[in-house]
Amino acid sequence: MTADLRIIGYLNRALTHELVAVQQYLAQAKLTALWGMTQTSERFREDVAAELRHAEWLMEELLVQGAAPASTALAPTRLDGDLLGLLLHDRALEVEAVRLYEDAAHYCARARDKRCRALFAKIL
């Protein structure tokens, strides 16, 4: 089986996106903890764990496809001075993810790669 390089590209872009999310949510967890917002900080840590699971699934699929995980440089963390600002940045990050995963799942459907399509749909 020859790997579809476009699918490998989608997998690596998705991996990068998940690692950006880990970085952002972890920074936000630390920041809200410093603000004394313990419950909010814990919620951000739950988001970190979910994003790490997604990154793990993507890495596994890359390895199954015979490709080494190759995320690119991570985008800077988006922080703000209050919780609303943090959540607005997170919404923008998640909207980017939705677009990426929809595009990837659509391409996988056209390429008849049911396994990768299911993975992108599962993360979506």
Side-chain angles (χ1 to χ4, degrees):
M1 175 177 118
T2 304
D4 182 321
L5 295 180
R6 191 161 172 191
I7 291 175
I8 299 300
Y10 276 120
L11 289 166
N12 276 314
R13 277 182 286 174
L15 176 60
T16 298
H17 186 83
E18 295 300 330
L19 295 175
V20 166
V22 166
Q23 173 181 264
Q24 181 160 320
Y25 296 148
L26 185 56
Q28 291 174 342
K30 296 305 288 179
L31 186 59
T32 53
L34 290 170
W35 292 343
M37 302 171 76
T38 307
Q39 287 181 319
T40 303
S41 176
E42 190 54 41
R43 178 65 180 111
F44 280 125
R45 287 189 173 283
E46 292 170 9
D47 291 340
V48 169
E51 303 300 344
L52 280 172
R53 275 191 307 278
H54 299 163
E56 183 178 3
W57 296 338
L58 292 160
M59 278 190 186
E60 180 179 345
E61 184 57 34
L62 281 160
L63 294 170
V64 166
Q65 296 269 343
S71 61
T72 58
L74 301 184
T77 300
R78 301 174 197 167
L79 298 177
D80 215 300
D82 60 20
L83 182 58
L84 178 60
L86 296 179
L87 295 175
L88 288 172
H89 289 305
D90 293 349
R91 183 179 189 283
L93 185 67
E94 293 300 327
V95 166
E96 291 170 19
V98 167
R99 287 186 185 127
L100 172 61
Y101 292 127
E102 286 177 341
D103 288 348
H106 181 71
Y107 177 79
C108 290
R110 286 193 336 257
R112 298 179 188 206
D113 186 327
K114 292 178 183 177
R115 180 184 169 105
C116 286
R117 187 199 167 288
L119 173 60
F120 287 123
K122 177 179 176 180
I123 296 172
L124 183 59

